[in-house]
Every structure is written in C-alpha cells, then in structure tokens.
Amino acid sequence: QCYYSITLLKISFYETISKNVIRIRKERKISQLKLANAIGHQNATFLVKAELLAEGKHFNLEHIYKISEVLQIDINEFFVK
C-alpha cells in the first residue's frame, strides 16, 4: 500500500514537470530538437520520451536546471501544478 502511494506520487511529480516543460517550451516556440541540443543531446529522442514519460524516461534535476537556463525561467516554474 505504501509503495503504491509513493509510486503514484512520483508519477504525479514527473507528470507535473513534463507538462510544464512542454507548456513553456511551446510558449517559447522552441522545438524539441532545439531544446534537446541545447541541453546536450544530439537528437530529440530523449526529450520526446521524457515529455511523454515513455519507457520510464523522465527529467532529472540536471535536465531541469539546464532547461531552465535555456528557456530563461526560474527553475521553480517546473514544479507548479
């Protein structure tokens, strides 16, 4: 029961971050490829999967920090529900 609750909280946390990355990236009119390149990836595959939470991929703190720098926003914006 406890493990299940923690897992749901983690998923909700990652969903919040992903939705905010997508929203802010689109507001700034930056493509997935351009953002992926700017945070050190050669293609958009990781970013696409992390935005969709596909195949267990999600953004870690380093990704969020780099994205906040590229998009020139306060890192806390990614955690707002």
Side-chain angles (χ1 to χ4, degrees):
Q1 186 73 310
C2 183
Y3 175 78
Y4 181 73
S5 296
I6 292 171
T7 300
L8 288 179
L9 283 173
K10 255 175 51 176
I11 291 169
S12 175
F13 178 72
Y14 293 142
E15 283 176 346
T16 298
I17 293 168
S18 292
K19 286 177 184 176
N20 286 322
V21 169
I22 293 167
R23 177 182 56 78
I24 297 164
R25 178 181 58 74
K26 287 182 176 181
E27 287 173 359
R28 299 284 198 283
K29 296 180 175 28
I30 296 177
S31 71
Q32 290 171 318
L33 179 59
K34 187 172 180 179
L35 182 57
N37 291 159
I39 66 169
H41 293 270
Q42 293 185 5
N43 58 53
T45 302
F46 168 78
L47 193 81
V48 170
K49 289 179 181 180
E51 283 187 350
L52 299 174
L53 299 177
E55 299 177 20
K57 302 292 185 206
H58 58 81
F59 297 107
N60 65 28
L61 190 55
E62 182 178 357
H63 299 134
I64 296 167
Y65 172 76
K66 287 179 179 180
I67 293 169
S68 73
E69 291 292 304
V70 171
L71 299 179
Q72 299 178 334
I73 62 162
D74 186 310
I75 196 168
N76 292 309
E77 290 296 314
F78 295 114
F79 305 103
V80 176
K81 287 192 176 193

